Structure formats: structure tokens, C-alpha cells
């Protein structure tokens, strides 16, 4: 299978490496920045390009992993290819392809990627959607080559998944950052908190989070809540987050 | 070493099992509910008691693992013991012992415990504080028997740790719960989100969270933020949390 990777960021990099590990042939990597294209193309043995017009029309799969607002432009440039074209965005409807005659689909990885950090692709849920059943079946085979966690998800539900991932990943990471900030201001090391962070995530791997909620808010431990707010009296923003989330915990349970 | 465990909840249960695994002798388990005392005493081979007056005065260590507001009453009941007395609370100052003549200290586990779930005590940071250096040294030996992660932390810093743990554990778990709620309302399974939750926690094990923040807020991706708020238009509480945390992410970076 010959693949063209359009994009060179975190998502593109992890897909390119995963395809390579599964003996697919990466023939081109495009980035508007030629250096970025060259960097990823270098490790995967592909040709780096920075002009969309140079894209090889004979590939089997075109993987679009660029910023959401750049997707339409890329699709226009791919108008004449015969292979399958997929985007990887959580927030972009499959309708973005609707004016085209191509075999299109979506291959959305519900995972957080960093370029620096290796990731086991077996732990990447892949959400697929396609133009028609035939394209979907073909995309499913490709997805299963990369990960056992393949889900058929339409655009509406993919939007919901993306939203829930903002809560479970982006906002969660920000809470980690705030807790680190609280520690640092008091000469305490984030190291001491890392085992708790791990265990909190491990706990919900075979339980539902609402069933394992702990802490002062769910216990209605007003004395502790008052003490905590007192500690945050000079940090109105943190106090606001503390109050908003404590109120929400009490309301849910 | 002979130990009396005062309390039979999550913290008491995990400490009791950890002591037993390290060949300490659990001689009594107290709970105001005799059945609860009997349950934990049964697995650890101790005597179950429900009257504080029955506590054996000849033990080496008295571990207080009860609700914060019950600690003073327990301390009063232990007035005449000769062994070391420690509480396990993050939010309770060591000053709670100040009127006593006992050898006192604090052994605070910075971890989240569930009775149902086994936990490797090697991954439990133990924060210790004591009346004097001699007691601290003795407590340090006991703590190191249970876990390699032993930290000397005074009451003021322990309060800060406890507060930061509310952000990194209790609030994080609530965000998991909210994301599950969003999924369920749309017939999507929480299963699909679990790998992302794990990876988000794994990522900060050797990085600082502010350095690995991702998502629409840090990218200033207003289009996605608007779409997400639109999806939450009938959920004012979730929308409020979305806005509060997005604002905070933008402000931090």
C-alpha cells in the first residue's frame, strides 16, 4: 500500500510511523514548511514536498493531518487522485468532502500525541466513517492493521467524542498544571503527586468515574472546603475553579 | 511490631494490609461499627473492637484512620498509651496532638484508595511529620518499611499537598465523570475514552503538564470552542465548566 501523508505534526508523525511499522510504503510527506516535510520524510523514507501540486496521484491512501481550517484547501488540491482520501479531525464533518468525486472517509484517532513521546498504536482508538459501505470496509481493514480499537462513528458522534475528550484530556491536563502551580509556589515538587495522578487514571480503567469519586465535595466536608478556599484567597481564578467543580460534584451525587 | 488500627475505611484497610504484608502484627481493629471492625480484623487476624476503652495500651503503633472530625475524640481515648500515635489526615494539623504527652506524628498517604481495588503500596507517597526528631526517625523507619516514597512534610505543606491533590485527583475524576455523562447521553461507550485517559496521565509522569497541554483553548481555536459551546447549550453547568477552564488555560499560556 502506497501512502501520501499530508501534514507533519504530531498526528501525522504518529500515523506515518505506525504505517511504516506495518510495512505500508510512505511515498510522500507534504508540509507547507519544506524542513518539516523533510524531517518526517527522512525517518520514514518518503519524498518531502511543500507544494500540494507535487502530490503523486497514484497512491492508495492520502492521509490529511493538518489544522482543521486547512482541510478544505487540501481536499481541493486532491481533486484528481484515485486512491482513498481521509482526514483525521475530530471536529470536522465528513461533509467537507461532499462536493468531490473522490473515495473519502475519516480516520480519527481519539488519543493525545506528542512528537517526542513514543506511543503504542495498539492503545489508539480509531474512529472511522466513510462515503459508502465499500469505502468503509476498505478503511476498516486499514485501521485494523494499525490498532485493534476500531469504532464506526458518524460525524455527529465524533463531534461529541471530541468534546468529551476536551474534558477528559485537555481540561484534566490543565488541572494537573494548576496542581503543579500550587505545589511550586510552596516549594513542593510535582514528583510527589505523580503516583496519585496515575492511580486516579488507573482506577477508571475498570470502573465508572462517578462510582469512585472521592474528596471533600462528595463527602460534604464543609470544614475542609472552607480551609481550601482560605488557602486560595489570593488566587481568585483558582478559587473560582475550586468552587465551580465542587458545586458540580455535589450536584451530580 | 504490634499495631492497633483505629478505623476500618479505605485508608485503614490499605494500611492494615500493607502492615500485614510486611510482617507487622495487627493486634486490634477498632470501628464504631462492630461489623466493620470484624470485617477488617478478619482478614488481618486482629481482634475487632468497637469501644475505644478496649484498646490495648501495650501496642507499638496506633494508626488513626478515621474521619477528620473524629480524630480529637480518638486522641483523648489514647491518652495513656506508650506507643507511637499517628493520624493519617492531609487536612489535620499536627497541633491536634499538642495537649497530650504521647509520642505523636502524622503518616499521610498521598494516594487515592478504594477498598475493592488492590494497590501497590510501593506507589504510595507517605508524608511524615512528628513531635520530635527521635519520633520522626522511628516513624521514618516504619514508613520506609511500607513504601520507598517517604517525604518529610510539615503541617502547613501537607495542607497544600492535600489541596493540590483535590485538583489532581478529585476534580480530575469529576471531569472523567462529566465526559462519561456526555458520552452516555449520546449512546457512546466510556470504553472508547479510557486509553486517552491513561495516556494523559502517563504523559505527565516524565513531563510537566504545562509543557504538554493540548486542545482548542491553548491553540486559540475559537471555531472549535464555539462549536463545543453550542453542543453544551442545554447544559449550562457543563458550559460554565467549559468556559471557566478554557479561560484559565488561555490565561496560563
Amino acid at each position: 500500500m502506497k501512502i501520501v501523508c499530508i501534514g507533519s505534526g504530531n498526528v501525522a508523525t504518529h500515523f506515518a510511523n505506525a504505517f511504516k511499522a506495518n510495512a505500508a510504503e510512505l511515498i510522500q510527506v507534504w508540509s507547507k514548511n519544506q524542513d518539516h516535510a523533510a524531517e518526517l520524510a527522512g525517518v520514514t523514507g518518503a519524498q518531502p514536498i511543500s507544494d500540494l501540486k507535487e502530490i503523486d496521484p497514484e497512491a492508495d491512501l492520502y492521509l490529511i493531518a493538518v489544522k482543521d481550517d486547512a482541510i478544505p484547501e487540501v481536499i481541493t488540491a486532491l481533486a484528481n487522485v484515485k486512491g482513498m482520501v481521509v482526514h483525521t479531525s475530530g471536529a470536522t464533518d465528513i461533509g467537507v468532502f461532499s462536493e468531490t468525486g473522490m473515495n473519502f472517509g475519516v480516520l480519527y484517532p481519539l488519543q493525545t500525541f506528542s512528537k517526542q513521546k513514543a506511543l503504542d498504536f495498539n492503545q489508539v482508538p480509531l474512529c472511522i466513517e466513510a462515503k459508502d459501505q465499500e469505502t468503509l470496509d476498505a478503511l476498516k481493514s486499514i485501521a485494523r492493521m494499525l490498532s485493534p480499537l476500531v469504532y464506526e462513528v458518524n460525524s455527529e458522534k465524533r463531534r461529541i467524542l471530541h468534546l468529551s475528550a476536551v474534558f477528559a484530556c485537555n481540561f484534566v491536563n490543565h488541572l494537573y498544571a494548576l496542581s503543579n502551580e500550587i505545589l511550586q509556589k510552596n516549594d513542593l515538587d510535582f514528583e510527589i503527586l505523580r503516583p496519585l495522578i496515575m492511580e486516579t487514571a488507573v482506577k477508571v480503567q475498570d470502573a465508572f468515574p462517578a462510582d469512585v469519586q472521592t474528596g471533600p465535595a462528595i463527602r460534604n466536608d464543609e470544614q475542609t472546603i472552607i480551609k481550601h478556599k482560605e488557602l486560595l484567597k489570593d488566587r481568585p481564578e483558582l478559587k473560582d475553579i475550586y468552587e465551580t467543580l465542587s458545586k458540580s460534584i455535589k450536584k451530580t451525587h
Side-chain angles (χ1 to χ4, degrees), chain A:
Chain A
M1 191 169 60
K2 291 183 179 176
I3 298 172
V4 172
C5 181
I6 298 142
S8 61
N10 291 336
V11 173
T13 300
H14 282 277
F15 266 112
N17 287 321
F19 275 120
K20 199 189 163 199
N22 284 283
E25 188 190 353
L26 222 73
I27 58 170
Q28 290 180 319
V29 171
W30 173 90
S31 168
K32 68 179 169 195
N33 179 319
Q34 178 77 22
D35 290 345
H36 294 171
E39 196 183 325
L40 180 54
V43 270
T44 51
Q47 175 200 9
I49 54 173
S50 59
D51 184 342
L52 286 169
K53 290 190 198 112
E54 295 175 61
I55 284 179
D56 186 331
E58 304 295 324
D60 302 298
L61 179 69
Y62 298 83
L63 184 90
I64 306 175
V66 298
K67 283 188 181 161
D68 287 5
D69 54 11
I71 294 174
E73 180 196 345
V74 172
I75 291 175
T76 304
L78 294 174
N80 298 317
V81 303
K82 292 199 191 72
M84 194 190 302
V85 181
V86 298
H87 79 60
T88 54
S89 160
T92 306
D93 201 280
I94 197 169
V96 72
F97 290 106
S98 61
E99 301 292 306
T100 72
M102 52 182 62
N103 291 317
F104 57 78
V106 181
L107 181 61
Y108 168 55
L110 186 63
Q111 190 49 283
T112 175
F113 298 107
S114 309
K115 265 191 196 173
Q116 341 53 299
K117 191 180 168 298
L119 178 71
D120 179 4
F121 230 82
N122 279 315
Q123 290 303 314
V124 179
L126 294 173
C127 304
I128 58 170
E129 182 180 15
K131 178 192 190 179
D132 51 33
Q133 190 60 45
E134 195 187 335
T135 314
L136 187 68
D137 290 343
L139 183 54
K140 196 185 288 176
S141 301
I142 294 170
R144 285 200 175 141
M145 182 177 88
L146 302 177
S147 167
L149 310 175
V150 177
Y151 299 87
E152 289 177 35
V153 176
N154 66 25
S155 289
E156 195 189 329
K157 293 202 170 179
R158 191 170 62 251
R159 257 195 309 273
I160 297 291
L161 276 179
H162 187 242
L163 172 65
S164 71
V166 169
F167 280 81
C169 169
N170 306 149
F171 289 168
V172 159
N173 186 75
H174 184 57
L175 290 180
Y176 298 158
L178 295 178
S179 63
N180 180 33
E181 200 193 310
I182 294 169
L183 293 181
Q184 285 191 331
K185 276 215 195 299
N186 292 276
D187 294 320
L188 284 158
D189 196 321
F190 186 59
E191 189 60 32
I192 195 171
L193 212 55
R194 286 186 167 123
L196 176 65
I197 284 172
M198 269 310 287
E199 181 65 15
T200 304
V202 166
K203 249 182 165 177
V204 298
Q205 296 304 306
D206 44 27
F208 287 107
D211 297 336
V212 294
Q213 184 66 48
T214 54
I218 195 176
R219 288 197 309 268
N220 273 309
D221 179 352
E222 287 303 327
Q223 258 196 307
T224 299
I225 292 173
I226 289 166
K227 281 184 202 168
H228 283 167
K229 286 201 233 172
E230 175 66 18
L231 288 171
L232 295 172
K233 68 176 189 296
D234 299 326
R235 310 291 311 278
E237 183 203 327
L238 288 182
K239 197 167 162 229
D240 185 24
I241 292 172
Y242 189 98
E243 284 171 346
T244 303
L245 289 172
S246 293
K247 196 177 72 178
S248 175
I249 291 172
K250 286 181 197 170
K251 206 176 154 186
T252 313
H253 292 278

